[in-house]
Amino acid sequence: QLRFTASAGCKTSESSDAGTSFELRALLDNVEDHVTVLAHCAERCHLLDRLAATFREVYTKMRVIATCECAEEEGCKEPVGREHGSIPHMTIFSVPYDFGLSRGKTLLVERATTEFVLVLDDDFTHSFHSCLECMLWRMRSLRHSVWRPFDILGFPVQEDERLFGAYRGSLRVHSHQLFLDPMAEELLPDGCLRVDICPMVFLGRTARMRTFDFQKDLSVGEHEQFFYSNAYNGAQVAVCFDSSFPHFRVNTMSAGYVKRRERMPELMATAFKKLGFERAMYLFRKYDHGSMADYDELLGKTVPPWYISQDSCAPPSSPPVPFSQVLAVVLSTADELGQQYRQVLRGSTDAAPGVWLRKFADGGGSGTLRWVFAVHPKAEEASTVTNLMRE
């Protein structure tokens, strides 16, 4: 913090004019001494050189540490580190196949010696939109540090947001389902936004990152697990919008990479089951409960609309009792045998306690099951129609 005083003309000892004072606040830290860039890569290790080269254009000595998974046939057993041959201040650890992001990031954070770590994916780069100084300024800001200093500071990934929406917001669990609700409210005075989850690319405090839990047996799904579980460890997550690192996607179609992508749905389902979630739903926009199109879309996905937040406030309260409606149509014949069966199913005989239709109705709760008999007479005889109407 610097203080300047300005006055008009020449100031003399007899002059009582003290001039005009103003303050200038600036980040006096050298970012290169306080931040280490971390990245994990699998089957696309050549992208690490591109990532590091973009940082070298701006920061000549900023430390870059990366992990690179070996191919399955190479049979790597343990992580082995080596200095990069042509890029200074860059270390690459060769790790076993399917090492996973959780174990990879844990290894990288343990190797970092700076106060902060910038966690990126292998296909990110530095550009003129990137302002590490701005992010470090937010981390040291008195506005946030006095009460709840940021542990993790994310940024908008513009390329991804153009494709499918903003991947940041609040996390909620309802009926063993994980919901990511987008947030556009609660902006802080400096434009930052406190969230529960943001993309797995961020600036983090190294000391706090070492206390957070990574479920190392997860090769996928570690993103949701990391933010959801560490919320109980007091993780303070925010997103600020004055900096961004481009997500420079590369269409990698090598045999090993394609094999990984084909396994992804099965691995994701297994990972969420380990975390106790039957499924996860990512809502990349706000839903309006007054819109029948949104209402029908949610019902089409078998999601009760009252599970979803809307712009008015938090998610609506659930019904006081579990709510569902089932209509069972029981096919029957119009003859005397069909009439006897219908009497049994209605519970009009001594076999009422063991009737399957009664058990079906009781199992769903009172008023849940509605049932009807569908009878199709073979002939439009007056007696048959009269008997059905009397029944």
Side-chain angles (χ1 to χ4, degrees):
Q1 179 174 329
L2 305 176
R3 182 181 294 274
F4 294 87
T5 301
S7 60
C10 297
K11 182 178 179 181
T12 64
S13 58
E14 293 80 10
S15 174
S16 60
D17 184 12
T20 302
S21 298
F22 62 93
E23 293 180 355
L24 173 65
R25 294 183 177 183
L27 183 67
L28 302 181
D29 293 326
N30 185 354
V31 173
E32 294 182 286
D33 298 331
H34 295 272
V35 178
T36 300
V37 181
L38 308 180
H40 175 80
C41 187
E43 297 290 341
R44 309 188 302 180
C45 296
H46 61 281
L47 297 179
L48 296 174
D49 293 356
R50 185 188 66 178
L51 181 149
T54 60
F55 276 86
R56 283 293 167 266
E57 293 177 359
V58 183
Y59 307 106
T60 58
K61 61 178 183 178
M62 180 174 287
R63 194 72 186 165
V64 179
I65 309 177
T67 50
C68 175
E69 291 190 16
C70 300
E72 188 174 10
E73 58 273 10
E74 292 183 22
C76 298
K77 300 298 182 184
E78 297 292 337
V80 177
R82 58 180 174 82
E83 291 297 318
H84 196 282
S86 58
I87 301 178
H89 307 291
M90 180 177 183
T91 304
I92 298 180
F93 286 87
S94 298
V95 295
Y97 178 78
D98 256 357
F99 197 70
L101 284 171
S102 291
R103 285 191 290 176
K105 287 183 171 60
T106 301
L107 174 64
L108 292 171
V109 171
E110 290 174 353
R111 293 294 190 273
T113 58
T114 53
E115 183 181 359
F116 299 97
V117 290
L118 178 64
V119 180
L120 297 175
D121 286 344
D122 55 9
D123 51 359
F124 277 73
T125 61
H126 187 283
S127 77
F128 62 91
H129 292 295
S130 309
C131 182
L132 263 178
E133 291 77 9
C134 301
M135 300 179 73
L136 190 57
W137 174 279
R138 302 298 185 192
M139 284 294 207
R140 299 202 187 283
S141 170
L142 292 178
R143 185 186 303 278
H144 308 297
S145 301
V146 171
W147 180 238
R148 291 186 298 163
F150 297 151
D151 298 318
I152 292 174
L153 183 62
F155 53 85
V157 184
Q158 298 177 4
E159 294 77 14
D160 295 349
E161 293 185 13
R162 294 189 189 105
L163 290 176
F164 49 77
Y167 189 85
R168 58 178 176 268
S170 61
L171 288 175
R172 293 186 299 107
V173 176
H174 204 304
S175 299
H176 301 286
Q177 300 177 70
L178 179 66
F179 294 95
L180 188 155
D181 287 329
M183 295 173 60
E185 306 89 356
E186 299 181 6
L187 284 175
L188 298 174
D190 59 355
C192 296
L193 175 69
R194 288 189 181 268
V195 295
D196 294 334
I197 187 173
C198 68
M200 204 65 171
V201 285
F202 51 77
L203 183 68
R205 295 184 188 272
T206 306
R208 287 286 284 160
M209 291 291 293
R210 288 172 179 162
T211 66
F212 293 154
D213 296 328
F214 284 94
Q215 193 162 334
K216 298 180 182 180
D217 60 337
L218 292 179
S219 56
V220 295
E222 76 294 328
H223 185 181
E224 294 77 10
Q225 176 273 330
F226 175 79
F227 284 98
Y228 181 74
S229 62
N230 288 303
Y232 294 94
N233 294 329
Q236 300 296 315
V237 185
V239 174
C240 293
F241 300 89
D242 50 6
S243 178
S244 179
F245 292 84
H247 191 185
F248 199 93
R249 293 176 176 271
V250 176
N251 186 16
T252 304
M253 297 303 293
S254 64
Y257 190 76
V258 171
K259 182 180 178 181
R260 289 175 183 270
R261 301 301 299 178
E262 290 175 347
R263 295 166 53 219
M264 196 61 65
E266 180 182 352
L267 291 174
M268 288 294 288
T270 303
F272 284 126
K273 187 174 295 185
K274 287 183 179 180
L275 299 175
F277 305 136
E278 294 179 359
R279 70 171 177 174
M281 187 171 184
Y282 305 98
L283 309 170
F284 294 112
R285 65 178 181 87
K286 288 288 188 179
Y287 283 79
D288 181 7
H289 292 178
S291 168
M292 290 308 300
D294 287 354
Y295 207 85
D296 292 342
E297 179 183 344
L298 295 174
L299 290 178
K301 296 176 180 177
T302 65
V303 177
W306 50 86
Y307 284 5
I308 308 303
S309 297
Q310 59 176 352
D311 282 324
S312 60
C313 195
S317 58
S318 300
V321 296
F323 176 79
S324 61
Q325 287 186 335
V326 179
L327 174 64
V329 179
V330 183
L331 303 181
S332 181
T333 58
D335 54 13
E336 184 177 353
L337 182 60
Q339 183 181 10
Q340 294 176 1
Y341 278 129
R342 291 193 293 275
Q343 290 179 353
V344 172
L345 292 177
R346 288 192 182 99
S348 303
T349 63
D350 297 337
V355 174
W356 67 266
L357 188 58
R358 176 66 61 85
K359 292 182 177 180
F360 189 22
D362 294 342
S366 177
T368 299
L369 177 68
R370 303 288 181 178
W371 48 268
V372 62
F373 292 113
V375 181
H376 179 63
K378 293 183 179 179
E380 292 294 337
E381 298 178 358
S383 58
T384 303
V385 176
T386 302
N387 291 336
L388 289 175
M389 293 178 65
R390 185 184 300 113
E391 184 181 345

